[in-house]
Amino acid sequence: MTPTFDDILRRQDLDKEEIKLLLAAEGAQQERLLRRGLEVKLQHLDNCVHLRGLIEYGNVCEKNCLYCGLRRGNDRVERYCLSDEEVLSCARLAHELGYGSVALQSGERSDPAFIDKIEYLVREIKKINGGSLGITLSLGEQTEETYRRWFEAGAHRYLLRIESSTEELYYRIHPKNGRHDFHRRLACLETLMRLGYQTGTGVMVGLPGQSLDHLADDLLFFKRMDVAMVGLGPYIPHPDTPLYRLRDLVPPAGERMDLTLKMIAVLRMMMPEINMVAATANQTIDPQGREKAIAAGANVIMPNLTPGEYRESYFIYPDKACVKDRPDQCKSCLDIRLAAIGHKILYNAWGDSPAFTKKK
Ligand code: SAH
Ligand code: SF4
C-alpha cells in the first residue's frame, strides 16, 4: 500500500520522493508538517532555545559570491573591521547578558594578519570568566592549518554553509574561478569535522532556479554528512549584486518563508538532535519569521551584538532585521517573543548539539 502523507510524517528515514512530497505540502498538510517538526523537537530537545551572540567582525571579503552584498566587487559598501577592544567588549556583553556563546562572523579573508588576529581574539574571549563562553566561528574557507590553530585557541564550533549541495546550482550562484570551488568547500567541511569542530552547514532557500529536487538533495546531504548544526534561511535578493538580475525567478517572500519552514520541519524529522538556527533572514521577510522557524523545529537564535554604527555596513542582504535594536532591547524582546510560543531561552549554557555530544 502506498504510504499516506500522515504515514510519512511519522518517519525519520525519508527517501528523496518522500522529502519532495513533504516539501510540496500546502494548507492543512503544511500545518501538520510544521506541527510535526515542533513535536519531534520537543521530544528530543525540549522547549529550550540557545543563543549565540553574533559579532560581525568585518565586511572585507576576498570572494565574489553572486548573491552577497559583501562581495569584493561591490564598491557601494563602506568596509570596516572591529578593533580588538570592540570585539572583546561585545563578548563581555554576551557574558553579562547570560548568552552562553558568541559567534564571530565576517567576510572571508586569508591574510596572515587576519589569521593571527582571530587566533588572538579567540584566546582573549576564552579568558572571559574562566572560559565560560562557547565560541562559534563563521569565517569562510581556510586551510587545515588555520582551522587547527583556531580550534586549539578555543573555538569549538564552525559554520560554513555549502549554499547549495548541487554542484551545478552552486556554480550558478558563484563565479566559476579558482576562488569559488565547490569541491574545496566540501573538503573544508570534512576538515572541520575531522579536526573536532561541531560543524554546521546550510543553504539559502528560494534561489533563482532552485527546485524541490535541489532542496531535497540538500537535506539528504546534511544527513549524509552527519553535521551537528544547520542554518537555513531564505535568499534575499540584494540590488548591488549580479544575482539580482534573476530576481523575477525568485519565489515571492511568503512562498520562500513557507518553504524555509518546511525545510526546517522535514530536517528536524530526519535529524532530531542537531542544532538548527532560526536565521535572521527569516525575520527580514516576515516579522514573525524567527518565531515561526522555532515553532517548526529550529532551536538556536543569533542575536546581534555588533556595535550599532557598523551594523548597516554588514550589508549581506537588504532590510536586515533588528539593525537598530540595542542588545539589551534585543534580549527582552526575544524573551517575550519566545514565551509567547511556549519556549524559553537557556541562559549561561553553551548549548551544544546532543547529536554531536553523543557521537563524541
Ligand atoms: N563569509 C562567510 C560568512 C559570512 S556570509 C561565508 O560566506 O561563509 C554568511 C551567510 O550569509 C552565507 O553563508 C550566506 O548563506 C548568507 N547570505 C549571503 N547573501 C545572502 C542573501 N542575499 N540572502 C540570504 N542570505 C545570504
Ligand atoms: Fe564573502 Fe561570505 Fe558574502 Fe561570499 S557569502 S561574498 S564569502 S561574505
Side-chain angles (χ1 to χ4, degrees):
M1 223 170 55
T2 4
T4 64
F5 186 84
D6 292 287
D7 292 334
I8 299 174
L9 274 189
R10 281 190 288 274
R11 299 215 182 126
Q12 183 172 337
D13 278 319
L14 299 168
D15 66 27
K16 186 165 171 185
E17 287 314 307
E18 291 166 338
I19 295 173
K20 279 167 64 184
L21 193 108
L22 295 178
L23 293 179
E26 287 181 355
Q29 282 193 334
Q30 173 174 326
E31 277 170 35
R32 292 214 291 287
L33 166 61
L34 303 189
R35 267 207 307 278
R36 180 67 184 151
L38 175 63
E39 185 180 72
V40 174
K41 180 183 72 172
L42 294 176
Q43 274 165 10
H44 289 263
L45 304 176
D46 210 353
N47 64 344
C48 294
V49 173
H50 305 301
L51 300 184
R52 319 277 183 241
L54 177 64
I55 307 172
E56 294 160 334
Y57 175 57
N59 65 357
V60 176
C61 186
E62 293 167 1
K63 289 189 133 179
N64 242 337
C65 307
L66 301 178
Y67 44 83
C68 175
L70 303 193
R71 64 197 305 274
R72 194 181 37 159
N74 182 13
D75 53 16
R76 302 181 71 169
V77 62
E78 205 179 314
R79 306 286 169 170
Y80 75 91
C81 180
L82 299 185
S83 69
D84 298 356
E85 188 39 43
E86 282 166 330
V87 172
L88 297 175
S89 66
C90 286
R92 283 192 290 268
L93 180 61
H95 169 62
E96 279 156 28
L97 293 171
Y99 298 180
S101 291
V102 290
L104 203 56
Q105 192 182 73
S106 83
E108 192 171 304
R109 283 176 55 185
S110 57
D111 50 290
F114 178 79
I115 293 166
D116 292 349
K117 180 63 83 185
I118 296 295
E119 183 178 12
Y120 167 79
L121 289 171
V122 169
R123 286 194 199 284
E124 290 301 303
I125 294 172
K126 273 289 159 198
K127 289 183 189 159
I128 298 171
N129 197 41
S132 67
L133 283 173
I135 305 182
T136 306
L137 298 179
S138 175
L139 305 168
E141 292 166 34
Q142 304 289 342
T143 63
E144 175 163 348
E145 147 93 7
T146 301
Y147 285 146
R148 182 177 293 113
R149 277 175 58 189
W150 293 346
F151 188 75
E152 284 168 1
H156 77 297
R157 303 190 193 105
Y158 206 102
L159 281 175
L160 184 73
R161 286 185 176 181
I162 190 71
E163 315 296 359
S164 168
S165 66
T166 304
E167 185 169 354
E168 181 260 330
L169 180 56
Y170 182 89
Y171 285 119
R172 267 193 270 156
I173 61 170
H174 296 95
K176 200 163 185 180
N177 60 30
R179 273 212 180 275
H180 305 79
D181 182 324
F182 178 74
H183 292 280
R184 192 178 54 223
R185 203 155 180 95
L186 272 181
C188 282
L189 281 174
E190 279 158 9
T191 304
L192 288 164
M193 292 182 80
R194 183 163 34 81
L195 291 176
Y197 278 98
Q198 235 176 97
T199 305
T201 189
V203 295
M204 285 174 284
V205 178
L207 290 164
Q210 188 183 44
S211 64
L212 293 189
D213 266 292
H214 293 126
L215 291 170
D217 282 335
D218 290 336
L219 296 179
L220 290 165
F221 169 79
F222 304 148
K223 176 99 185 172
R224 197 168 58 246
M225 291 287 288
D226 197 18
V227 289
M229 317 183 278
V230 170
L232 288 169
Y235 162 62
I236 300 173
H238 187 313
D240 300 328
T241 62
L243 207 61
Y244 195 68
R245 279 197 291 273
L246 299 183
R247 64 190 175 282
D248 291 344
L249 299 179
V250 175
E255 260 177 55
R256 262 178 293 152
M257 185 74 222
D258 283 352
L259 202 47
T260 304
L261 296 175
K262 288 186 273 186
M263 286 284 283
I264 291 173
V266 177
L267 185 60
R268 180 54 75 200
M269 290 166 53
M270 295 167 69
M271 303 183 78
E273 296 194 330
I274 60 167
N275 276 346
M276 226 191 289
V277 186
T280 310
N282 288 304
Q283 196 161 344
T284 297
I285 60 169
D286 178 336
Q288 307 290 321
R290 272 196 309 198
E291 293 89 293
K292 286 183 181 171
I294 294 290
N299 68 324
V300 174
I301 289 184
M302 297 170 70
N304 200 335
L305 290 177
T306 313
E309 67 264 40
Y310 301 109
R311 290 206 190 167
E312 295 192 23
S313 298
Y314 202 77
F315 193 35
I316 290 186
Y317 50 78
D319 305 320
K320 239 169 73 185
C322 306
V323 267
K324 298 215 159 54
D325 295 2
R326 288 197 325 262
D328 53 332
Q329 293 169 326
C330 199
K331 180 180 175 209
S332 48
C333 161
L334 278 175
D335 274 327
I336 296 165
R337 282 168 177 255
L338 290 171
I341 54 163
H343 281 67
K344 59 169 194 266
I345 293 171
L346 197 67
Y347 285 106
N348 301 305
W350 281 13
D352 284 338
S353 127
F356 178 81
T357 321
K358 283 188 190 164
K359 200 160 72 171
K360 253 179 117 180

